[in-house]
Amino acid sequence: MALVKKDNRLTSSQSFVCVGFAGFFSKTVTSPLEVVKIKSQVGTFHCKSGFWKGFVLIYQNEGLRGFWKGNFASCFRVKHATMIVHLHMDELGFISRWRAIFAGGLAGVAAALVTYPLEVVETRLVIQNCRQPTYIGVVHTLTKIYRNEGLLTLYRGFSLTVLGAFPFSVGCYAVYMSLDKLWQEPPFRFTPLQNFINGCLAAGVAQTLSYPFETVKRKMQAQSGQLPHFGGVDVHFNGMTDCFLQVVRNKGVLSLWNGLTANTIKIVPYFGLLYTCFEMCKQVCLYRNGYIVSPLSYKLTPGVDQSLRPSELEEMKRYRRNRNFGPGESSFGNRW
């Protein structure tokens, strides 16, 4: 079900770089959709007139720069969640049934525990007007929130991440259990296109099920007496339960899914770019390690055992060079 397959021909640091770069690039490209989604969840005036009107109002009030507010904090946070899921893949790049639940929940909870303050920073940067900013950059935002509102504010709404991890994991598991019936063949025979569709389906179902928790969490992160209009939140509340009640009473149950259109549209380009960037980065690393003849293709290097790990392959190279390289020329040595 994974889009990014584990490859033992990469070192741990190379895998980390590839996953990090892929997450950073795909998150940056889809940032405008993320900004519209967050503003819709919080309930700022930009997105009260619909999905497309939200883009127009953001551009009119803040310019193009407004679509990339909070992107650095978002990229850093997403990278850690992606790495956790990557660590739970098997050698073929699949996540088993129980690992699907474990990795989905663990990625949400563990990444939030470590980087949750960055999510609060992201929300605050997104909801402010970048032409009249209250916060300037990630460090300034963290410092200002801590000084003016206290440490607990940086973890406001954290319990909703824990609660939302359960429906998210159930969604992933439900999709995984249905894949055999959907494709009418076992997972190990899935093509890259099938894995891409599987990832998009899993993300769509899982995020839709957990979406109300994220909506309330964003409102809790945004609301502050230190900000103009209390952060632009469309309801005022005291605590998590009261926030749920106020949203349902004043805006209706369906408002818990505000911004779902932007979130759903984002899934395909996000995972498509994530997969493409990872594969491009992986090709460069495989070429550097000596497994393929060019970073622009997957043509295997003749005479190289693809089952060897990078350290084993390097040791084999040294052994053969020492054995064959002498006063005379060595064809193997010259090839390397």
Side-chain angles (χ1 to χ4, degrees):
M1 195 170 75
L3 293 178
V4 175
K5 289 190 176 184
K6 198 169 185 178
D7 195 325
N8 288 328
R9 296 174 298 174
L10 301 178
T11 65
S12 298
S13 60
Q14 287 174 336
S15 294
F16 182 84
V17 169
C18 289
V19 172
F21 172 75
F24 178 86
F25 186 81
S26 54
K27 193 70 176 176
T28 299
V29 173
T30 58
S31 179
L33 289 164
E34 181 73 6
V35 169
V36 171
K37 183 197 80 170
I38 292 175
K39 285 182 176 290
S40 297
Q41 289 177 317
V42 172
T44 62
F45 76 93
H46 304 83
C47 301
K48 291 184 178 181
S49 300
F51 174 68
W52 295 111
K53 188 66 174 178
F55 280 97
V56 175
L57 288 174
I58 292 173
Y59 177 74
Q60 289 176 343
N61 287 274
E62 304 181 62
L64 285 175
R65 189 175 59 168
F67 292 108
W68 279 271
K69 295 182 299 183
N71 183 60
F72 177 78
S74 178
C75 290
F76 188 80
R77 184 170 55 84
V78 168
K79 180 183 72 173
H80 287 77
T82 307
M83 280 301 302
I84 292 173
V85 174
H86 187 66
L87 289 173
H88 286 87
M89 294 176 187
D90 60 22
E91 290 75 9
L92 297 176
F94 299 109
I95 300 179
S96 67
R97 293 176 181 178
W98 292 109
R99 280 186 176 187
I101 293 180
F102 183 67
L106 181 65
V109 176
L113 182 64
V114 176
T115 64
Y116 193 83
L118 288 173
E119 187 173 348
V120 176
V121 168
E122 177 193 5
T123 302
R124 293 290 180 92
L125 289 172
V126 167
I127 63 172
Q128 73 172 356
N129 189 324
C130 63
R131 289 178 175 171
Q132 298 174 330
T134 302
Y135 306 108
I136 304 172
V138 175
V139 176
H140 178 260
T141 306
L142 280 171
T143 304
K144 191 166 185 176
I145 293 174
Y146 175 74
R147 288 178 178 174
N148 296 339
E149 302 177 59
L151 178 63
L152 291 180
T153 302
L154 293 171
Y155 283 91
R156 185 184 294 162
F158 175 76
S159 58
L160 287 159
T161 296
V162 179
L163 294 173
F166 290 101
F168 184 93
S169 298
V170 168
C172 287
Y173 182 72
V175 172
Y176 184 88
M177 291 293 289
S178 304
L179 292 180
D180 293 358
K181 297 178 181 178
L182 176 65
W183 300 115
Q184 297 184 347
E185 59 182 350
F188 67 86
R189 291 185 178 177
F190 291 165
T191 65
L193 178 60
Q194 286 175 313
N195 281 323
F196 173 74
I197 295 174
N198 296 341
C200 291
L201 286 174
V205 172
Q207 291 177 17
T208 299
L209 291 176
S210 61
Y211 201 83
F213 296 95
E214 186 182 355
T215 296
V216 173
K217 179 179 68 176
R218 292 290 186 181
K219 291 181 188 294
M220 293 182 68
Q221 292 171 343
Q223 181 175 267
S224 172
Q226 304 290 326
L227 298 175
H229 310 292
F230 287 88
V233 183
D234 55 358
V235 293
H236 298 291
F237 50 86
N238 295 304
M240 178 183 69
T241 305
D242 187 45
C243 185
F244 269 107
L245 293 174
Q246 293 296 334
V247 171
V248 173
R249 287 173 183 171
N250 295 291
K251 303 295 179 180
V253 175
L254 291 180
S255 64
L256 290 170
W257 280 270
N258 282 348
L260 184 62
T261 300
N263 187 72
T264 304
I265 293 174
K266 186 186 72 173
I267 289 175
V268 172
Y270 176 78
F271 281 106
L273 290 168
L274 183 70
Y275 176 79
T276 303
C277 290
F278 178 83
E279 290 299 315
M280 290 175 61
C281 188
K282 186 175 82 170
Q283 282 183 242
V284 173
C285 293
L286 291 178
Y287 172 70
R288 184 181 181 85
N289 292 348
Y291 290 101
I292 57 178
V293 298
S294 169
L296 302 178
S297 73
Y298 272 116
K299 185 178 180 181
L300 304 180
T301 302
V304 173
D305 186 350
Q306 300 292 321
S307 65
L308 295 177
R309 294 177 180 271
S311 58
E312 296 171 334
L313 179 60
E314 189 61 33
E315 185 178 349
M316 180 65 70
K317 290 180 187 178
R318 286 197 299 267
Y319 170 76
R320 292 189 175 181
R321 278 200 301 265
N322 292 336
R323 188 185 65 178
N324 296 328
F325 190 75
E329 293 184 345
S330 168
S331 58
F332 186 91
N334 291 336
R335 182 171 62 187
W336 291 107

